[in-house]
Amino acid sequence: MAEEQPIGSILLVDCGTVMTKATLLEQVAGQYRLVARGEAPTTVEYPWSDIAAGIRHAVDHISASTGRRFFEPSGDLIIPELRGQQGIDAFAATVSASQPLQVVLAGLVRDLSVSSAERAAAGTYSTIKAILANDGRDGGQSEGASVHTIHDAAPDVICIAGGVEGGAAEPVLSLVEAATLASSLIEQSTRPRLLFAGNSRLRQRVVQMVGKRAELSVADNVRPTRTEENLLSARAELDQLYVQEKLERLPGFEAVSKWSAVAPKPTARAFGQLVQYLWRLGDSSKGILGIDVGAASTTVAAVFDGRLFTTIRGDLGVTFGGERMIQEHGAETVTRWLPEPVSADETRGMLINKVIRPTSIPQDVRELWLDQALAREAIRTTLELARPGWEPGAAQPYPHLLPLCDTIVVGGSVLAHTPRPGQAALTVLDALEPIGVTTLVLDTHGLAPALGIVAEVKPLAAVEVLDSGAFVNLATVVAPVGHARRGETILRVHATYGEGKFSVEIGYGDLEVLPLPPGQQAVLELRPLHNFDVGLGGPGKAGKLRVSGGLAGLIIDARGRPLHIPGNTEQRQSQMQQWLWDVGG
């Protein structure tokens, strides 16, 4: 039997929409460690039109700091590693640089089958271009109007849901006929695929109806009963179509695939795998969240009872998508998070400038605040789409609030590169509104997707890099749930750490940051008043627990759940400024 090839060095890359990041892992004293990082603009567009070029540019930064040579003069990666620090033993890549899959959804009932199809699509890099429903909402649409809508949307995929198992037939088939007709009227080279994910008893009739007029795939019914969802099959089909129609058509993708020990993966999928692994290391009675805010997309990965739920807004990031958000929801959706007045025109101007110059960084504090406001709304919007599909079980004591989470992992340049850690912590708290006791973990190096895929190449490397401190604790957060008059004492906190200790009383509405630096552990005694719940077993329950410090310390967020944002503009801006001061931002 052939011996397994030893892997001493691993090069990981993540090709994002704007930036490509490269990371070198190497065995140091018998353990894998993060040795060096580099990043460069992604090179999908002209003049390079080759994602491999961006990888080479990012790796050049690693070469400059380590002296290692990675590429042959021909541009090929040197694998396996040669003597004299040349090449690497393994390479793996994650990619999110492609355009999302353009999808039209069709179904019978907007709040049932269509919503389930929407959540199935949300687990992939997809953008919903149009929704067709036969439930009479918006007056319904004739077949001709549906054909016109599909033709104008020019989708990559038309996903048709509807009909519980053994349920409606003719209304579903009419949607199939409209989708087939619309598809057949589109040029062959750009003709959309049809994905049928409805009543399985109609599959044979659907196949006969579509015939050779369109390419058809089938998946399990996304809504087999009125109260049951089954999203995995449809999501897998859409994910496969995304890889085939978008990722594999990226210029340079073939070369990158040849270098890779495993097939390059969508970034969000690898990110979700890492979050699922981290859940196994924490409190299994709670959930874990992973938040990745990119330039063009936002990912929320949640794990409850070992099950992974991944949701992606492929059209909403901090660089691309902001102007669309303002057009759809109004500028105040974003500007309400700013501590100073900014007009709608000025906001739109800053957003357009970000799209024109996607690699630029904020030049003044107002642009920085806008980035963080966009991150808040991107997370909140993605979370709103994600939560109906979760099954948190016992981790959800309050249905209208976020489930209990042991850890929240946050990543993305907008959070990892904040000037002050308190700003990153406040952005996450405002966006997610966690409850109970939660640890915020910051992916400062953008390693989460890379570690998710390296687990397939060398599982030990992922474990050892995590253990070596690849992520840093941003803060431990205590967020009581309950109602009281503003300023009324709702929680007494006593902390003991090393040779020191302190006690503090928290009033309702307070946002208190207590000193607890990274590496420092403390025993907290929490005594809630007025039947407030701090996640220790129910309302009014007190207790002790050991917590770890972070870059932003120990944060007691007693602002209330759900978060109250003043309606008056001046009061709101004053409140935002106060919260920034509270966290040291």
Side-chain angles (χ1 to χ4, degrees), residues 436-455:
V437 181
T438 304
T439 302
L440 302 185
V441 175
L442 184 63
D443 180 11
T444 54
H445 302 299
L447 272 179
L451 292 180
I453 196 170
V454 80

Side-chain angles (χ1 to χ4, degrees), residues 119-456:
R119 282 189 283 275
T124 66
Y125 285 100
S126 299
T127 299
I128 308 303
K129 300 294 291 183
I131 293 177
L132 307 175
N134 272 354
D135 58 1
R137 183 177 294 189
D138 300 325
Q141 281 191 322
S142 65
E143 181 178 282
S146 297
V147 170
H148 186 72
T149 298
I150 293 171
H151 189 274
D152 288 348
D156 300 303
V157 183
I158 305 170
C159 179
I160 305 163
V164 298
E165 289 300 281
E170 295 308 318
V172 178
L173 294 175
S174 69
L175 287 172
V176 174
E177 178 58 33
T180 304
L181 178 58
S183 182
S184 66
L185 295 175
I186 297 174
E187 186 69 31
Q188 182 74 38
S189 60
T190 57
R191 186 168 294 175
R193 299 274 293 269
L194 268 58
L195 173 61
F196 180 68
N199 184 353
S200 64
R201 295 189 182 183
L202 302 179
R203 284 181 184 174
Q204 191 62 40
R205 295 176 66 181
V206 169
V207 171
Q208 294 173 353
M209 179 179 290
V210 174
K212 296 183 179 180
R213 293 185 291 169
E215 199 167 344
L216 174 68
S217 300
V218 296
D220 295 341
N221 193 346
V222 294
R223 197 82 180 207
T225 70
R226 292 181 63 86
T227 59
E228 180 187 1
E229 278 190 334
N230 180 16
L231 308 181
L232 293 181
S233 178
R235 184 171 290 173
E237 288 289 336
L238 289 170
D239 197 46
Q240 183 178 0
L241 287 172
Y242 168 73
V243 172
Q244 293 174 351
E245 300 295 323
K246 300 298 181 179
L247 281 194
E248 293 181 356
R249 296 186 181 185
L250 282 173
F253 185 86
E254 185 176 353
V256 175
S257 297
K258 289 180 180 178
W259 298 341
S260 186
V262 294
K265 278 191 174 183
T267 299
R269 192 196 301 176
F271 180 71
Q273 289 176 337
L274 190 277
V275 173
Q276 192 167 30
Y277 168 75
L278 292 176
W279 177 84
R280 300 188 185 101
L281 306 180
D283 183 350
S284 61
S285 67
K286 297 182 180 180
I288 180 172
L289 281 187
I291 308 294
D292 187 19
V293 186
S297 62
T298 301
T299 301
V300 173
V303 179
F304 302 101
D305 293 329
R307 291 189 60 191
L308 173 64
F309 304 89
T310 304
T311 304
I312 308 162
R313 274 299 299 261
D315 60 343
L316 184 57
V318 292
T319 300
F320 304 100
E323 189 178 6
R324 176 181 173 182
M325 178 188 292
I326 284 179
Q327 290 174 349
E328 293 180 356
H329 304 290
E332 191 172 309
T333 301
V334 175
T335 59
R336 63 179 177 152
W337 299 105
L338 305 181
E340 291 184 2
V342 178
S343 69
D345 287 343
E346 185 179 358
T347 300
R348 187 169 287 105
M350 287 191 285
L351 294 177
I352 292 172
N353 185 60
K354 287 169 65 64
V355 173
I356 296 172
R357 301 173 178 85
T359 60
S360 64
I361 61 175
Q363 299 299 303
D364 61 40
V365 70
R366 291 158 71 87
E367 292 182 10
L368 178 68
W369 288 337
L370 180 64
D371 275 2
Q372 293 169 2
L374 284 169
R376 286 175 172 89
E377 283 306 312
I379 296 170
R380 289 173 75 93
T381 302
T382 308
L383 190 67
E384 184 178 346
L385 180 61
R387 285 189 55 187
W390 291 352
E391 297 178 13
Q396 180 99 64
Y398 304 99
H400 62 294
L401 301 178
L402 194 75
L404 291 167
C405 294
D406 182 60
T407 305
I408 299 175
V409 182
V410 296
S413 296
V414 68
L415 298 173
H417 296 165
T418 54
R420 296 181 177 86
Q423 294 174 352
L426 183 62
T427 299
V428 175
L429 294 179
D430 289 347
L432 295 177
E433 302 183 31
I435 65 173
V437 181
T438 304
T439 302
L440 302 185
V441 175
L442 184 63
D443 180 11
T444 54
H445 302 299
L447 272 179
L451 292 180
I453 196 170
V454 80
E456 296 186 23

Side-chain angles (χ1 to χ4, degrees), residues 472-473 497 516-522 546-551:
V472 297
N473 276 9
Y497 57 97
L516 193 63
Q520 180 79 61
Q521 288 200 328
R546 182 175 295 274
V547 299
S548 298
L551 297 175

Side-chain angles (χ1 to χ4, degrees), residues 39-101:
E39 62 180 54
T42 297
T43 50
V44 171
E45 305 294 342
Y46 178 85
W48 297 278
S49 299
D50 181 0
I51 61 171
I55 293 174
R56 294 187 189 98
H57 297 163
V59 173
D60 283 345
H61 291 286
I62 297 179
S63 295
S65 61
T66 63
R68 181 188 292 265
R69 184 166 71 93
F70 291 88
F71 293 96
E72 300 280 9
S74 64
D76 288 332
L77 193 62
I78 301 172
I79 302 177
E81 182 178 341
L82 305 176
R83 290 183 179 180
Q85 283 203 321
Q86 296 186 68
I88 41 88
D89 289 322
F91 172 90
T94 56
V95 186
S96 60
S98 64
Q99 292 293 318
L101 203 65

